[in-house]
């Protein structure tokens, strides 16, 4: 298991670079953490490090945001960022064509994956973000 510690927003980009160095061939990343743990903030930092120039926001209402990278050396020219927090029924995820995203070969970052656990690909990387007592964030995957 790999762990990355974020001690402040000042070093979140360095933490994002460390995370990217461990991506390897994985494409689907399921981010677990309590509300306010920093899932969206960390995903934003990862996307920025991968060369996304778009405004990166939580896809809470859209369920999925699509970003493109302008870096020719990027791992994935397209990144999908999901937020399943508002999903009420699993059928909503079927209706959106989740398989087209999850099996596209593009990077997929999922917030609130516990709400669609049965649909996660077997090779999805589970990423836990925990707020520590001192306010640091510990990322484990």
């Amino acid at each position: 298991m790999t762990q990355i510690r974020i001690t402040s927003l000042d070093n979140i980009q360095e933490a994002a670079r460390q995370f990217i160095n461990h991506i390897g061939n994985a494409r689907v990343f399921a981010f677990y953490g309590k509300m306010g743990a920093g899932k969206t903030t960390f995903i934003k930092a990862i996307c920025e490090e991968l060369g996304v120039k778009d405004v990166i926001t939580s896809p809470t209402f859209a369920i999925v945001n699509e970003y493109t990278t302008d870096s020719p050396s990027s791992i994935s020219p397209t990144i999908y960022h999901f937020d399943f927090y508002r999903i009420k029924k699993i059928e909503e995820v079927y209706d959106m064509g989740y398989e087209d995203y999850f099996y596209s070969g593009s990077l997929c970052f999922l917030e609130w994956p516990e709400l669609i656990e049965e649909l996660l690909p077997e090779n999805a990387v589970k990423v836990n973000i925990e707020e520590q007592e001192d306010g640091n964030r510990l990322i484990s995957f």
Side-chain angles (χ1 to χ4, degrees):
M1 180 178 291
T2 300
Q3 292 189 325
I4 299 170
R5 184 173 298 278
I6 301 173
T7 55
S8 74
L9 285 176
D10 293 338
N11 79 334
I12 195 166
Q13 295 304 133
E14 173 56 31
R17 282 190 289 278
Q18 289 177 41
F19 183 85
I20 291 165
N21 288 336
H22 288 90
I23 283 180
N25 292 325
R27 289 296 173 262
V28 179
F29 295 86
F31 287 81
Y32 294 83
K34 293 180 180 172
M35 183 77 71
K39 297 179 294 294
T40 301
T41 304
F42 189 56
I43 290 170
K44 180 178 189 273
I46 295 167
C47 289
E48 288 170 350
E49 286 299 315
L50 289 170
V52 172
K53 299 294 185 220
D54 303 323
V55 174
I56 302 161
T57 58
S58 176
T60 303
F61 295 100
I63 300 178
V64 62
N65 286 344
E66 179 179 336
Y67 308 120
T68 54
T69 62
D70 65 357
S71 169
S73 63
S74 184
I75 296 167
S76 172
T78 304
I79 299 170
Y80 298 109
H81 178 192
F82 296 84
D83 185 336
F84 293 111
Y85 184 72
R86 296 195 179 281
I87 291 293
K88 299 288 183 257
K89 295 181 293 194
I90 203 74
E91 288 77 19
E92 293 175 65
V93 184
Y94 283 111
D95 290 345
M96 69 180 288
Y98 78 94
E99 290 172 310
D100 293 340
Y101 297 103
F102 290 6
Y103 299 100
S104 67
S106 295
L107 286 173
C108 295
F109 298 133
L110 289 59
E111 296 186 49
W112 300 103
E114 51 271 52
L115 299 175
I116 61 146
E117 198 80 37
E118 64 265 30
L119 301 181
L120 292 178
E122 277 184 31
N123 61 351
V125 177
K126 295 187 176 190
V127 182
N128 291 298
I129 301 180
E130 292 179 61
E131 183 175 5
Q132 307 295 287
E133 285 184 24
D134 58 8
N136 291 343
R137 301 300 196 266
L138 185 62
I139 299 166
S140 310
F141 54 99

